[in-house]
């Protein structure tokens, strides 16, 4: 009997302790009957509570994991946001420690922007040749904006290119000072076109898209151009260095030939290429010739349509036309044609000014449509109807839709063509071009690697009635 009483006392003590523990943990649970006392959950409820707690724990872990990985931003946006907050290090040491645990160094995309480059961020990244290219683009933009080469030449080991860049930027700075134009901002984007990569050497072809905001007499305009450069990089002491830079000077290249040959008369074409690339027999459309013969004269040349077409297609090829490797004169001819200029369809490549496209490998266009030297000769010629032009002595005599051709060596062989699409504050023409795609670029091209001291220009004012 005493043992039974002692056992009951022990049970009462255990219940009291349990009630005291529940009270400390947050109060005594009430049963559905309203009776006060400890509530002993059933085994099923215990299992449900355990499952619920486990699922909530997983959700918390998942939420914490996602909280450590911010949503990906467009390339460069992170650098822009950080720079808008602080020009110094992009984060405090504590934030750096937190983010380094949860986020691996991001790889550079194939499209790089000069405004995205942040030295502190790049130093924290795994060093690689893309990081070196990214820095090159940033320094290129800095040199372009300041019109001083030192920002880039201190980084590039190629002394020949450094001198070439220095001369180009000096010409650019001198010219802009004389015309009262000041750079008000610059951005450079680079696209990786072709890559040859090994463990210690890389060559990469990049396309640089440069936008310069210019201020002149209180007015602003934007000029753009796209250029190609080939970079050679080498790995030394754990870091990548830019060893050599070669700009592709497409304005100086012949349409089908080599870099060194100047372009090109009709006789040169047969002599250079012979049977391998001989001119194809053009498609002779007699009905089309008949329409041109009976075409009414005196149609107005729509200069506004020329400029609109030029701005639409300055940075890409119109798929309705053949796209040449060197596309400048083909592009200018398209612009002129968009302004209501009639084709002079002769069916002979050496004469007229016409385009019919390509069929079964045969080319159906005249030399004057696609070759700078040929369109120079065509517009210089005298004719009473159709597309015709007057040669004027200076650029300030030109209007929208007029044409400039460029003889880089002063030997009377013209290698580049542009179309007038706008004017600066002093009434001097700004031009568009293709191959080296350019929009609202100052007409004299002294900012181009193709320009030399021997450069000569031919200015054509297209007739108002054609």
């Amino acid at each position: 009997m005493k043992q039974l009483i002692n056992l009951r006392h022990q049970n009462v003590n255990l219940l009291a302790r349990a009630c005291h523990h529940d009270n400390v943990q947050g109060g005594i649970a009430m049963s559905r009957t309203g009776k006060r006392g400890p509530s002993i959950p059933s085994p099923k409820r215990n299992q449900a509570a355990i499952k619920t707690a486990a699922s909530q724990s997983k959700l918390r872990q998942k939420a914490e994991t996602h909280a450590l990985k911010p949503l990906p931003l467009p390339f460069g946006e992170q650098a822009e946001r950080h720079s808008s907050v602080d020009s110094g290090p992009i984060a405090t040491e504590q934030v750096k420690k937190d983010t380094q645990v949860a986020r691996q160094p991001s790889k550079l995309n194939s499209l790089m922007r000069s405004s995205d480059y942040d030295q502190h961020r790049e130093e924290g990244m795994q060093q690689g040749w893309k990081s070196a290219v990214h820095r090159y683009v940033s320094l290129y933009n800095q040199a372009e904006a300041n019109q001083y080469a030192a920002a880039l030449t201190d980084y590039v080991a190629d002394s020949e290119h450094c001198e070439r860049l220095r001369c180009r930027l000096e010409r650019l700075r001198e010219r802009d000072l004389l015309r009262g134009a000041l750079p008000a901002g610059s951005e450079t984007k680079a696209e990786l076109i072709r890559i040859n990569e090994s463990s210690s050497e890389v060559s990469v072809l990049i396309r640089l898209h440069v936008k310069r905001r210019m201020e002149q007499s209180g007015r602003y305009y934007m000029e753009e151009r796209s250029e190609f450069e080939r970079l050679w990089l080498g790995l030394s002491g754990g870091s990548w260095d830019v060893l050599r830079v070669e700009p592709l000077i497409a304005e100086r290249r012949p349409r089908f030939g080599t870099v060194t040959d100047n372009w090109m008369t009709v006789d040169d074409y047969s002599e250079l290429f012979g049977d391998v690339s001989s001119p194809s027999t053009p498609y002779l459309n007699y009905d089309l010739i008949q329409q041109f013969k009976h075409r009414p004269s005196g149609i107005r040349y729509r200069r506004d349509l020329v400029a609109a077409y030029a701005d639409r297609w300055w940075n890409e090829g119109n798929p309705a036309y053949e796209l040449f490797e060197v596309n400048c004169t083909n592009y200018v001819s398209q612009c002129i044609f968009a302004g209501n200029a009639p084709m002079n369809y002769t069916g002979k490549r050496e004469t007229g000014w016409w385009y019919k496209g390509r069929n079964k490998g045969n080319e159906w266009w005249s030399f004057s449509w696609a070759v700078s030297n040929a369109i120079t000769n065509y517009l210089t010629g005298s004719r009473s109807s159709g597309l015709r032009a007057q040669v004027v002595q200076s650029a300030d005599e030109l209007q929208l839709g007029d044409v400039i051709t460029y003889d880089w060596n002063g030997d009377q062989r013209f290698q580049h063509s542009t179309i007038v699409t706008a004017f600066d504050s002093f009434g001097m023409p700004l031009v568009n071009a293709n191959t080296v795609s350019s929009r609202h670029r100052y007409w004299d091209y002294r900012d181009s690697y193709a320009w030399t001291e021997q450069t000569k220009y031919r200015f054509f004012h297209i007739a108002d009635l054609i």
Side-chain angles (χ1 to χ4, degrees):
M1 182 64 122
K2 286 182 180 180
Q3 292 177 351
L4 183 59
I5 293 172
N6 290 335
L7 183 60
R8 286 179 180 176
H9 280 295
Q10 289 175 3
N11 289 338
V12 171
N13 289 334
L14 288 173
L15 287 174
R17 288 177 185 174
C19 292
H20 176 71
H21 177 74
D22 289 341
N23 194 22
V24 171
Q25 292 297 321
I28 298 174
M30 295 290 293
S31 67
R32 290 189 180 181
T33 59
K35 294 182 180 179
R36 187 182 298 268
S39 175
I40 302 175
S42 67
K44 290 185 178 180
R45 272 190 205 171
N46 279 336
Q47 292 176 2
I50 292 171
K51 289 182 180 179
T52 303
S55 62
Q56 288 177 351
S57 176
K58 288 182 180 180
L59 287 174
R60 280 197 301 271
Q61 291 176 358
K62 191 174 181 181
E64 289 170 357
T65 302
H66 284 290
L68 291 173
K69 295 182 179 180
L71 292 175
L73 298 173
F75 186 77
E77 189 172 337
Q78 293 177 2
E80 290 176 357
R81 291 187 181 180
H82 285 306
S83 62
S84 65
V85 175
D86 187 3
S87 59
I90 61 173
T92 64
E93 290 299 320
Q94 183 60 41
V95 174
K96 286 183 179 178
K97 291 177 181 177
D98 293 341
T99 55
Q100 284 172 357
V101 173
R103 185 171 51 191
Q104 296 297 324
S106 60
K107 295 182 179 180
L108 296 179
N109 293 342
S110 60
L111 184 63
M112 304 175 181
R113 294 192 307 180
S114 57
S115 59
D116 295 338
Y117 184 79
D118 185 281
Q119 182 177 357
H120 298 283
R121 185 186 65 176
E122 294 297 326
E123 288 174 353
M125 292 176 58
Q126 181 181 357
Q127 293 300 311
W129 64 263
K130 286 188 178 180
S131 179
V133 173
H134 198 180
R135 187 181 180 195
Y136 175 86
V137 174
S138 177
L139 294 175
Y140 180 99
N141 183 70
Q142 184 178 338
E144 189 80 24
N146 298 334
Q147 298 181 343
Y148 283 96
L152 188 60
T153 55
D154 291 344
Y155 179 64
V156 175
D158 187 347
S159 58
E160 181 180 352
H161 178 68
C162 290
E163 179 64 17
R164 180 166 49 214
L165 176 66
R166 184 188 64 79
C167 292
R168 182 179 73 83
L169 291 180
E170 282 185 358
R171 292 198 307 267
L172 178 61
R173 184 171 67 252
E174 179 183 0
R175 183 200 69 184
D176 287 349
L177 286 174
L178 288 174
R179 54 188 286 255
L182 296 173
S186 177
E187 183 182 64
T188 302
K189 297 179 183 178
E191 182 182 1
L192 304 182
I193 304 298
R194 189 177 300 115
I195 301 166
N196 294 316
E197 184 177 6
S198 69
S199 59
S200 60
E201 294 181 354
V202 173
S203 68
V204 54
L205 178 65
I206 62 175
R207 179 177 184 259
L208 296 167
H209 183 103
V210 184
K211 296 174 68 174
R212 298 175 71 230
R213 187 168 184 256
M214 304 299 296
E215 186 271 330
Q216 186 185 43
S217 300
R219 297 175 60 187
Y220 294 86
Y221 72 91
M222 185 74 74
E223 67 176 31
E224 301 179 65
R225 73 179 191 275
S226 292
E227 297 180 340
F228 291 88
E229 289 188 349
R230 186 175 286 111
L231 309 181
W232 282 264
L233 301 98
L235 182 61
S236 175
S239 63
W240 288 88
D241 300 320
V242 179
L243 304 177
R244 183 181 168 198
V245 181
E246 179 185 288
L248 274 62
I249 310 175
E251 300 102 326
R252 296 182 62 86
R253 297 176 66 191
R255 181 164 143 255
F256 295 106
T258 62
V259 176
T260 56
D261 291 317
N262 293 310
W263 195 221
M264 167 178 278
T265 66
V266 175
D267 293 337
D268 290 334
Y269 188 95
S270 300
E271 182 179 350
L272 278 174
F273 303 107
D275 296 333
V276 177
S277 302
S278 59
S280 60
T281 303
Y283 174 71
L284 192 60
N285 188 334
Y286 292 98
D287 293 335
L288 187 60
I289 293 176
Q290 194 72 17
Q291 292 174 14
F292 278 130
K293 285 183 177 179
H294 294 88
R295 179 184 180 275
S297 59
I299 294 178
R300 181 167 296 280
Y301 184 49
R302 290 288 303 277
R303 301 180 183 277
D304 56 333
L305 297 181
V306 175
Y309 184 94
D311 281 345
R312 168 61 183 86
W313 296 105
W314 75 276
N315 199 28
E316 61 179 323
N318 185 342
Y321 293 91
E322 184 79 9
L323 181 64
F324 301 126
E325 183 181 356
V326 177
N327 201 55
C328 60
T329 305
N330 176 39
Y331 166 76
V332 166
S333 291
Q334 293 175 35
C335 296
I336 296 171
F337 184 61
N340 287 338
M343 290 187 191
N344 179 12
Y345 187 84
T346 64
K348 298 178 181 178
R349 295 176 69 84
E350 299 84 359
T351 61
W353 178 74
W354 55 273
Y355 178 92
K356 279 291 291 177
R358 183 189 291 268
N359 184 41
K360 297 180 180 179
N362 290 337
E363 304 159 1
W364 301 347
W365 54 79
S366 64
F367 289 130
S368 59
W369 183 275
V371 181
S372 182
N373 198 62
I375 197 173
T376 300
N377 292 334
Y378 183 80
L379 294 177
T380 303
S382 176
R383 58 187 58 85
S384 58
S385 62
L387 175 61
R388 58 194 189 280
Q390 175 188 0
V391 179
V392 297
Q393 298 304 310
S394 61
D396 58 2
E397 299 179 66
L398 299 177
Q399 299 179 22
L400 281 181
D402 286 342
V403 175
I404 305 175
T405 57
Y406 300 74
D407 168 17
W408 304 119
N409 300 319
D411 59 0
Q412 299 302 310
R413 293 190 177 188
F414 292 82
Q415 296 174 272
H416 187 52
S417 310
T418 65
I419 193 91
V420 177
T421 54
F423 299 90
D424 69 7
S425 297
F426 295 159
M428 299 302 292
L430 307 174
V431 298
N432 283 25
N434 213 251
T435 303
V436 176
S437 301
S438 303
R439 178 179 179 269
H440 298 179
R441 188 173 183 174
Y442 193 72
W443 67 270
D444 68 1
Y445 264 68
R446 292 175 69 91
D447 59 345
S448 170
Y449 288 119
W451 189 92
T452 70
E453 295 288 346
Q454 292 75 41
T455 297
K456 288 182 170 49
Y457 309 93
R458 190 72 60 86
F459 306 110
F460 293 103
H461 172 62
I462 307 295
D464 291 326
L465 297 178
I466 50 182

